[in-house]
């Protein structure tokens, strides 16, 4: 689970490139586009402009570059020519990228046009919850501290945290040890050490935390049909704290509560 300083720098380069993909999407008009069109656009950028590999394509038999999860879809939404991003939607794009043998993983939930206040509040709280988890990362802390920080922020706002999916170690493989839960008790779990690299990627539901998987074997929805949002960053434990490897240059980090 421990990466050398040189390996962390290689992961940081993959993270920088992936951050540029998210920034690229930030500047695009997404409303009206099919999720497959967005998938293909991202693939062209990763392959043709960044000369990298879209790590999700072919992973576990998955055939696409990204997951696109709209509204009540929690995660693993599959791109389609028939599904279009519409005004008022919230939609998460989860993207991975491999460069020089190392993988970075990040996602962002976009608010398309004028979204309902309840949707905006869910998206903002999910982003804040991810950052609460990131701020808990430092040498000597425990994974339970990270999960507790996420869950506490979500519950204070009245949201539930999906427990069926979690963050994960990452490096030469997409999914490595440890599992990073987004709930937990402080002072419990694996003790963090410099050189660990993993994702923090909470999924918050407007209603109940339970989810169901569609017949396609991928698409995961809330059981009650209420909204869900997710954000994700790849982070590294440093000698005195945390380094966010997929941070975008223009990203507005929320203030501490």
């Amino acid at each position: 689970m421990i990466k050398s300083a040189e390996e962390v720098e290689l992961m940081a380069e993959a993270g920088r490139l992936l951050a540029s993909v998210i920034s690229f999407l930030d500047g695009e008009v997404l409303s009206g586009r099919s999720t497959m069109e967005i998938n293909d656009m991202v693939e062209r950028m990763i392959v043709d402009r960044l000369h990298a590999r879209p790590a999700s394509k072919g992973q576990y038999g998955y055939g696409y570059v990204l997951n696109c999860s709209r509204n009540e879809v929690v995660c693993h939404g599959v791109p389609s020519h028939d599904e279009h991003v519409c005004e008022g939607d919230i939609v998460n794009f989860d993207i991975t990228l491999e460069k020089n043998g190392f993988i970075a993983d990040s996602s962002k939930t976009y608010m398309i046009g004028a979204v309902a206040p309840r949707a905006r509040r869910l998206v903002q709280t999910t982003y804040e919850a991810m950052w609460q988890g990131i701020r808990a990362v430092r040498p000597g802390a425990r994974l339970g501290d990270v999960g507790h920080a996420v869950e506490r922020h979500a519950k204070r706002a009245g949201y539930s945290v999906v427990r069926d999916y979690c963050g994960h170690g990452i490096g030469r493989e997409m999914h490595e040890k440890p599992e990073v839960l987004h709930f937990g008790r402080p002072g419990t779990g694996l003790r963090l050490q410099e050189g660990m690299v993993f994702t923090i990627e909470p999924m918050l539901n407007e209603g109940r935390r339970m989810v169901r998987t569609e017949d396609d074997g991928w698409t995961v929805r809330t059981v009650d049909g209420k909204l869900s949002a997710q954000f994700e960053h790849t982070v590294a434990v440093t000698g005195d704290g945390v380094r966010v490897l997929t941070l975008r240059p223009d990203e507005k980090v929320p203030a501490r509560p």
Side-chain angles (χ1 to χ4, degrees), residues 46 58 62 143 154 175 197 249-250:
I46 292 174
Y62 189 72
L143 281 179
H175 296 108
V197 182
D250 59 345

Side-chain angles (χ1 to χ4, degrees), residues 2-23:
I2 306 298
K3 307 293 190 296
S4 68
E6 292 76 14
E7 288 173 326
V8 170
E9 289 307 317
L10 288 171
M11 294 199 69
E13 174 62 9
R16 184 187 68 80
L17 295 178
L18 180 52
S20 74
V21 177
I22 303 290
S23 293

Side-chain angles (χ1 to χ4, degrees), residues 143-144 146-148 150-151 161-163 165 181-185:
L143 281 179
V146 176
H148 175 73
V150 171
E151 184 180 38
V161 178
V162 174
R163 295 192 172 196
Y165 301 93
L181 304 181
H182 301 114
F183 59 94
R185 292 186 295 114

